[in-house]
């Protein structure tokens, strides 16, 4: 069935370093790939997304890349700050009603 | 822009008691609506989604049910709660370009 695998499950980086989280999807029809940030006790918040007609998208310190051939996409955070510490979820959607979420990555930025 | 309301924010219920969680959406008409559950430290589990009044699709067979009595109202119910029903319940809706937004959530503890 449809599946989105996300790695790593936990990631610790020093403040100022970069962080990369990777996701792989199985549904070839997937064409929309959002990333969510969830702080402790709060709702997931959409931070960036990419559609299948684009290979890369950037918004200040965060960027997402998509490789449709390999069916994987990645979140890149540069110059990490303590407030970037959170759980990050990737997801895939084929433009229908369902989102398939990854299992999450707990990012810790060490000061 | 859309606003999602959920109540209650927190709930402590004994095993075997009934449950009713409510979600309402403002700022849109005929939205797609979703119920997710997030167990402590875990990912997002899709429970139900609805593309219109009276149209409910169930993703996980269990002791929960959902109803959509009005266009922008989505209700999650149970007749008898189990310990395993504890978690963070999130209502979500999709925007015009399939981006998904979450409500503030209800934290349910079954004792």
């Amino acid at each position: 069935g449809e599946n989105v695998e996300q790695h790593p499950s936990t990631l610790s980086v020093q403040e100022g370093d970069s962080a990369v989280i990777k996701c792989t999807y199985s549904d070839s029809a997937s064409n929309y790939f959002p990333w969510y940030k969830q702080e402790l006790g709060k709702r997931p918040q959409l931070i960036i997304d990419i559609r299948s007609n684009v290979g890369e998208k950037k918004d200040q310190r965060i960027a997402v890349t998509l490789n449709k051939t390999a069916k994987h996409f990645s979140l890149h955070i540069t110059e990490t700050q303590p407030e970037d510490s959170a759980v990050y979820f990737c997801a895939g959607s084929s433009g229908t009603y369902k989102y398939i979420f990854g299992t999450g990555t707990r990012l810790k930025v060490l000061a | 822009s859309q606003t999602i309301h959920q109540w209650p924010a927190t709930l402590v219920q004994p095993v075997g008691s009934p449950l009713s969680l409510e979600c309402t959406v403002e700022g849109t008409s005929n939205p797609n609506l979703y119920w997710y559950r997030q167990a402590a430290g875990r990912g997002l589990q899709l429970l139900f989604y609805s593309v219109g009044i009276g149209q409910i699709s169930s993703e996980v067979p269990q002791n929960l049910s959902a109803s959509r009595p009005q266009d922008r109202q989505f209700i999650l119910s149970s007749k008898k709660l189990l310990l395993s029903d504890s978690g963070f319940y999130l209502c979500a809706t999709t925007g015009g370009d399939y981006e998904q937004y979450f409500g503030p959530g209800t934290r349910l503890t079954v004792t």
Side-chain angles (χ1 to χ4, degrees), chain A residues 36 38 43 51 95 97 99, chain B residues 34 38 97-98 100 102:
Chain A
Y36 290 84
Q38 187 178 27
R43 76 185 89 178
R51 299 182 192 274
Y97 310 113
Y99 278 48
Chain B
Y34 305 79
Q38 188 175 33
D97 291 325
Y98 297 115
Q100 193 160 96
F102 290 89

Side-chain angles (χ1 to χ4, degrees), chain A residues 48-51 54-59 62-66:
Chain A
I48 195 168
D49 56 14
I50 191 167
R51 299 182 192 274
V54 175
E56 183 174 358
K57 183 176 179 180
K58 189 173 181 180
D59 183 4
I62 60 174
V64 58
T65 58
L66 171 65

